[in-house]
Amino acid sequence: MGFSIHSKLKDDTFNLGSFQLCEVLLMNDSRFPWIILVPKIPDLRDFHEIPSQHRDVLFQEIERASEAIQKHQRVDKMNVAALGNQVPQLHIHVIGRLKTDEAWPNPVWGHGTPIPYDITSKSNVIQSFKRELAIAER
Amino acid sequence: MGFSIHSKLKDDTFNLGSFQLCEVLLMNDSRFPWIILVPKIPDLRDFHEIPSQHRDVLFQEIERASEAIQKHQRVDKMNVAALGNQVPQLHIHVIGRLKTDEAWPNPVWGHGTPIPYDITSKSNVIQSFKRELAIAER
């Protein structure tokens, strides 16, 4: 089977574009600056299953996402996680956390109810993240 | 400042030994097979701050911890995460998850109350993990 993004990930996010290894998604939850990286390799589930020749690039792309979030907004901590209990396809969360955010100091998953971006802020946040991630408009 | 393990991590875990890059800790919570890796580099906070020359080794050690958990017990999913909202020192959780565990499909952090290992199971689980991690007795 070829690579495609799991339907639940598609439903919950906006596609920001594509890095060398990963598709780059923005979680549609305005409470947190929250990027999801999905390696474009079929049938991966767990973090350590990333083939060794792709690990450097994955690390660089996690760094690129972390730095984009830090440019977007001053955050207190980055949370980086590959969980996959709900969506088994390997995907890596990169989330900027503030000591004043509503979930702090707990993890964001399962906390409260997502607040989707409204139509104006959606367009702004997508443009801003594409710029900070250095992803060209398609 | 030199490297030392944060006191809260020490309090919550048993030390299983040392890999090339990371100290290897076992969370004292018998509900989940839960290893914590702490890179022995002072002053790291976020995942992407790992210097590039250490990233391959970190990946290998995450893989070694994941495989040790899989040898220890058949699990359905690995959760790998660097959060650090409670303890800012960089540490990487490697947790084996079962669809029947009490937190599934939610993350384990903040879920319910830890159940410490009793004295017999503590000794057994430490020996078993040291063997599976190929860490020599000290």
Side-chain angles (χ1 to χ4, degrees), chain A:
Chain A
M1 286 249 299
F3 168 79
S4 65
I5 298 176
H6 190 286
S7 59
K8 174 149 173 58
L9 287 178
K10 275 190 189 158
D11 290 347
D12 293 347
T13 65
F14 307 121
N15 195 313
L16 292 174
S18 200
F19 283 161
Q20 180 186 333
L21 181 66
C22 296
E23 285 291 315
V24 187
L25 311 175
L26 179 71
M27 181 66 96
N28 187 12
D29 185 348
S30 62
R31 298 174 303 163
F32 311 105
W34 184 342
I35 288 172
I36 294 179
L37 300 173
V38 188
K40 292 174 279 185
I41 298 174
D43 304 324
L44 292 182
R45 291 181 78 252
D46 285 335
F47 191 71
H48 68 282
E49 291 172 8
I50 284 275
S52 53
Q53 70 270 28
H54 297 300
R55 291 178 175 181
D56 271 358
V57 176
L58 178 61
F59 233 122
Q60 286 160 20
E61 295 184 357
I62 291 171
E63 184 167 19
R64 231 169 125 185
S66 301
E67 289 176 351
I69 287 172
Q70 286 167 336
K71 274 182 221 162
H72 180 73
Q73 169 174 13
R74 189 198 57 72
V75 297
D76 295 310
K77 192 73 187 71
M78 299 303 306
N79 289 176
V80 174
L83 305 180
N85 306 337
Q86 315 258 2
V87 173
Q89 179 179 48
L90 178 64
H91 58 287
I92 296 114
H93 300 270
V94 181
I95 310 161
R97 301 298 309 276
L98 289 164
K99 289 180 183 171
T100 53
D101 73 38
E102 66 167 64
W104 185 271
N106 296 310
V108 299
W109 305 280
H111 179 93
T113 307
I115 300 176
Y117 290 100
D118 64 38
I119 195 149
T120 315
S121 59
K122 170 185 161 178
S123 161
N124 290 340
V125 80
I126 289 177
Q127 274 190 31
S128 156
F129 268 114
K130 281 188 173 177
R131 198 171 50 239
E132 284 138 9
L133 291 160
I135 291 176
E137 290 290 329
R138 289 198 270 200

Side-chain angles (χ1 to χ4, degrees), chain B residues 5-92:
Chain B
I5 298 176
H6 190 286
S7 59
K8 176 151 174 54
L9 287 179
K10 276 191 188 159
D11 290 348
D12 292 347
T13 64
F14 307 122
N15 195 313
L16 293 174
S18 202
F19 283 161
Q20 180 186 333
L21 180 67
C22 295
E23 286 291 315
V24 187
L25 311 176
L26 179 72
M27 183 65 97
N28 186 12
D29 185 347
S30 61
R31 299 175 302 164
F32 311 104
W34 184 342
I35 289 173
I36 294 179
L37 300 173
V38 189
K40 291 175 280 185
I41 298 174
D43 304 324
L44 292 182
R45 292 179 79 253
D46 285 335
F47 191 71
H48 68 282
E49 290 172 9
I50 284 274
S52 53
Q53 70 270 28
H54 297 300
R55 291 178 176 182
D56 270 358
V57 176
L58 179 62
F59 232 121
Q60 287 160 20
E61 296 184 358
I62 290 171
E63 184 166 20
R64 232 169 124 185
S66 301
E67 290 176 348
I69 287 172
Q70 286 168 335
K71 275 182 219 162
H72 180 74
Q73 170 174 11
R74 189 198 57 72
V75 297
D76 295 311
K77 192 73 189 67
M78 299 303 306
N79 289 175
V80 174
L83 304 180
N85 305 337
Q86 315 258 1
V87 172
Q89 178 179 47
L90 178 63
H91 58 287
I92 296 115

